[in-house]
Amino acid sequence: MTKKILALLLCTVILTSIVLAGCGGGDGGTSSSSDSTSGNTGNAGNVATLLTTALGDKSFDDSCWRGLNEIKEKYGVDITYFEMKQDLTKGIPALTEFAESGKYGLIVSGTYNNVENAQAVIEAFPNQKFIHYDASIQDGGNGPYANAFSIQYKQNEGSYLVGWLSGKITKTGILAQLGMSEIDVIWDFIYGYLEGAKAARDDIRVITSFIGDGENVAKAKELANDAMSQGADILFHIAGGAGAGMFEAIAENGGGKVWGIGVDSDQYAEYEAAGKSEIAGIILTSMIKNVGNSLVWAYDKEVEGTLEWGTNVTLGISEDAVGPAESGAFLELDESLLEEYAQVKEDVASGKVTVGTAFGHTLEEQQEFANTFRP
């Protein structure tokens, strides 16, 4: 363990008293079942989760919390959360307080930017079980960790399908994708989208740009307007909460001729439920990472005694862990197109179609690949 991590751990007690206040208040919350206590027969104990941003992100955090609520209903356990709100300094104190309480059979965290936080606390509490999603905590640090399990996703497979749909539907032949930042997992979305779009239309052009983070709504809006000015009529964001800016730009300036594609959760359903039909109406689909489903899957396996601690698993189309949201405007597509889509989806799930990945490529190689699709 590095001196930096040790120093962070030594500061935990002080930071926890400032930040957490018992995992209550504006940063945390608990949902209880009257008959639930950690370690009850027939379940794997209560569950606590560290949310990277906050509930209401219409992305990973909401999906994670839905999954935990499904676990609560199914097994009668308590669930709780702490909202980190993109402040990485809150990660170790929050996870440490969960672990020190002894109340939780499982502690859940995500994603790539929380790996070092998770590793530090996993090492400090070898008798506590941890699940980390959307990145492997088994790599680097002092891993693999026998008390941890990692879930990753084949985002390139799901993005291939939304790229294929985009290539089939576009009128202008120009698409756009707005990435959060230039990291491998975002590039993996991009690779899949580009390959799927080209499989659908050989002369496809795709504008690829980057916002810089997952919260800059104004920058996303600016990039979306720029892409539309270049003729893009389908825009795909891979940018968490910042993607709201893309949707706003389309609703305001798309003239009813531009579609938006969301990410991580069914953003059509999210906006419709929030009463924002003007946004929901321009969402073609979303490339979902079913974080909630994968957590229920993992919890079920732990109850069965078959979850393989100390390992990492990658879930894709065949496990229904990723893929386009089949709701809203998607359901109104031509029947012949949906039949063709179903076959493409089966071909990816079966391995007949192998989707390329950004992992293993340098940033320069990733950029060069994307540049070959520019208008």
Side-chain angles (χ1 to χ4, degrees):
M1 192 181 301
T2 66
K3 291 182 179 179
K4 179 181 178 181
I5 291 175
L6 283 171
L8 285 169
L9 285 172
L10 288 172
C11 290
T12 291
V13 175
I14 296 172
L15 288 171
T16 298
S17 64
I18 296 172
V19 174
L20 293 180
C23 282
D27 290 329
T30 300
S31 182
S32 301
S33 296
S34 59
D35 61 348
S36 65
T37 55
S38 182
N40 275 357
T41 301
N43 66 55
N46 300 324
V47 187
T49 186
L50 175 66
L51 302 177
T52 304
T53 53
L55 292 181
D57 72 335
K58 297 179 175 61
S59 187
F60 277 167
D61 290 345
D62 285 350
S63 180
C64 172
W65 191 239
R66 281 196 299 272
L68 265 57
N69 272 282
E70 185 175 335
I71 292 169
K72 172 192 169 183
E73 293 301 316
K74 186 173 183 179
Y75 292 102
V77 297
D78 288 350
I79 57 175
T80 192
Y81 66 89
F82 179 81
E83 297 172 324
M84 199 169 67
K85 298 178 180 176
Q86 295 284 5
D87 184 350
L88 293 177
T89 66
K90 295 181 179 180
I92 289 178
L95 290 171
T96 299
E97 178 154 314
F98 287 150
E100 286 181 337
S101 73
K103 296 178 181 178
Y104 306 104
L106 299 175
I107 297 174
V108 175
S109 58
T111 58
Y112 72 93
N113 57 359
N114 253 328
V115 167
E116 289 187 2
N117 283 338
Q119 288 173 331
V121 183
I122 287 166
E123 289 182 24
F125 295 90
N127 296 319
Q128 170 69 58
K129 291 181 177 179
F130 296 83
I131 293 177
H132 193 86
Y133 61 83
D134 201 41
S136 174
I137 44 78
Q138 305 296 0
D139 304 323
N142 293 315
Y145 304 101
N147 59 325
F149 181 76
S150 303
I151 304 172
Q152 292 177 278
Y153 308 94
K154 297 177 183 178
Q155 54 273 324
N156 58 329
E157 289 189 351
S159 297
Y160 181 95
L161 294 182
V162 296
W164 184 89
L165 282 170
S166 299
K168 285 290 183 179
I169 294 169
T170 179
K171 304 297 185 185
T172 66
I174 302 175
L175 312 175
Q177 49 187 342
L178 283 64
M180 180 179 68
S181 57
E182 294 195 68
I183 57 174
D184 284 347
V185 68
I186 299 297
W187 275 108
D188 209 39
F189 279 93
I190 291 169
Y191 265 55
Y193 189 75
L194 293 173
E195 289 193 1
K198 187 170 181 61
R201 179 168 172 166
D202 189 60
D203 66 345
I204 201 74
R205 299 288 90 192
V206 185
I207 301 162
T208 299
S209 56
F210 295 90
I211 297 164
D213 61 50
E215 296 183 289
N216 196 335
V217 173
K219 182 65 174 179
K221 192 170 185 177
E222 175 190 331
L223 292 174
N225 281 322
D226 180 66
M228 288 188 289
S229 74
Q230 296 181 60
D233 63 351
I234 301 179
L235 282 63
F236 172 37
H237 88 81
I238 318 157
M246 184 194 80
F247 291 135
E248 289 173 9
I250 295 172
E252 293 170 7
N253 302 312
K257 299 179 180 179
V258 178
W259 287 111
I261 298 177
V263 78
D264 294 337
S265 63
D266 186 344
Q267 298 205 284
Y268 162 81
E270 296 276 5
Y271 278 103
E272 190 68 26
K276 297 183 178 181
S277 57
E278 73 282 3
I279 299 294
I282 54 90
I283 297 178
L284 175 64
T285 184
S286 299
M287 206 311 278
I288 295 178
K289 283 189 181 182
N290 283 314
V291 171
N293 287 1
S294 68
L295 293 176
V296 174
W297 171 87
Y299 195 97
D300 287 344
K301 285 193 170 295
E302 175 63 2
V303 171
E304 296 166 0
T306 59
L307 193 65
E308 297 183 7
W309 293 100
T311 67
N312 174 66
V313 66
T314 304
L315 307 177
I317 294 290
S318 62
E319 295 87 6
D320 194 30
V322 298
E326 299 180 1
S327 62
F330 176 94
L331 299 175
E332 298 174 7
L333 297 174
D334 290 343
E335 185 176 345
S336 60
L337 178 59
L338 289 176
E339 289 176 355
E340 191 176 358
Y341 161 80
Q343 184 58 59
V344 174
K345 182 177 181 180
E346 174 57 32
D347 288 345
V348 174
S350 68
K352 183 177 179 180
V353 170
T354 302
V355 183
T357 178
F359 291 102
H361 292 279
T362 65
L363 177 59
E364 290 74 20
E365 290 170 336
Q366 293 164 347
Q367 293 170 336
E368 182 179 354
F369 180 61
N371 285 338
T372 63
F373 288 81
R374 287 194 175 278

